[in-house]
Amino acid sequence: AQSVTQLDSHVSVSEGTPVLLRCNYSSSYSPSLFWYVQHPNKGLQLLLKYTSAATLVKGINGFEAEFKKSETSFHLTKPSAHMSDAAEYFCVVSDPGGDDKIIFGKGTRLHILP
Amino acid sequence: NAGVTQTPKFQVLKTGQSMTLQCAQDMNHNSMYWYRQDPGMGLRLIYYSASEGTTDKGEVPNGYNVSRLNKREFSLRLESAAPSQTSVYFCASRPRTGHGTEAFFGQGTRLTVV
């Protein structure tokens, strides 16, 4: 069965500094991996997705993630944080060759310090 | 272009009451999902339906039932609501099981059980 672990429940960075949100996954197959963002009292927005075409995936708003099979990781990065990035971020896994479940991590709340 | 529509948006129930949360998608998607979101827990999968006529349990199915009424609609029923079911509920859909196929989410239903 697939699962995902987000290693930090809260991350604080200063505006203009890099962001790193960590995610490890477990999957019996070649997984589909996603990052979603949720701003306060808002719905869920897809940031980026891993489709197996390339290990480095670029998303919206300057975010990137790198799929590392040997480390079973899919960490989310951004070179320079902006105040508008303050939100909760979810790492998500799905097994295209298995059942149809989509499993969320517990989330990482990103705080941006002025 | 409505996407995934959930009704109602807000609901207050008394303990022991029943209700049905409705979800409809207009994107001709095969798969549909119900999640609950609680602070610090991320989104947890309640039930999902890989295709019309099929439903399967997710991570937290106890106390819930679902119906995949047709390809468009997937309802979630609470037969006897409990305070522990106070949560925000999200419905989602996606076209098919496949690599990199992301889910599209509704805006959520905030349910309070008193």
Side-chain angles (χ1 to χ4, degrees), chain A residues 9-22:
Chain A
S9 58
H10 292 265
V11 170
S12 295
V13 302
S14 298
E15 191 175 22
T17 64
V19 174
L20 170 64
L21 305 183
R22 298 181 295 166

Side-chain angles (χ1 to χ4, degrees), chain A residues 36-65:
Chain A
Y36 282 83
V37 61
Q38 186 180 37
H39 288 92
N41 298 312
K42 298 290 187 185
L44 291 143
Q45 181 182 18
L46 179 70
L47 269 181
L48 50 80
K49 61 182 180 181
Y50 168 67
T51 64
S52 78
T55 56
L56 182 61
V57 182
K58 294 186 184 299
I60 61 171
N61 299 332
F63 284 93
E64 294 184 347

Side-chain angles (χ1 to χ4, degrees), chain A residues 51-79:
Chain A
T51 64
S52 78
T55 56
L56 182 61
V57 182
K58 294 186 184 299
I60 61 171
N61 299 332
F63 284 93
E64 294 184 347
E66 187 171 8
F67 173 71
K68 292 187 176 180
K69 187 174 180 179
S70 60
E71 298 176 10
T72 61
S73 69
F74 191 57
H75 301 334
L76 182 70
T77 61
K78 182 173 181 177

Side-chain angles (χ1 to χ4, degrees), chain B residues 4 6 23-24 32-35 74 89-93 104-106 108:
Chain B
V4 179
Q6 292 183 232
C23 175
M32 298 187 73
Y33 305 83
W34 275 107
Y35 292 88
F74 189 39
Y89 291 84
F90 286 96
C91 178
S93 70
F104 295 80
F105 287 82

Side-chain angles (χ1 to χ4, degrees), chain B residues 2-59:
Chain B
V4 179
T5 302
Q6 292 183 232
T7 53
K9 290 186 168 50
F10 301 94
Q11 183 72 49
V12 178
L13 287 180
K14 294 182 178 179
T15 298
Q17 286 185 318
S18 62
M19 80 161 295
T20 300
L21 280 64
Q22 306 287 353
C23 175
Q25 52 90 8
D26 62 0
M27 297 174 282
N28 200 35
H29 287 174
N30 290 325
S31 304
M32 298 187 73
Y33 305 83
W34 275 107
Y35 292 88
R36 61 177 288 172
Q37 183 177 22
D38 303 292
M41 300 298 293
L43 277 76
R44 290 181 292 172
L45 182 63
I46 305 171
Y47 272 94
Y48 65 105
S49 170
S51 62
E52 185 179 353
T54 68
T55 62
D56 287 285
K57 294 179 180 179
E59 301 165 284

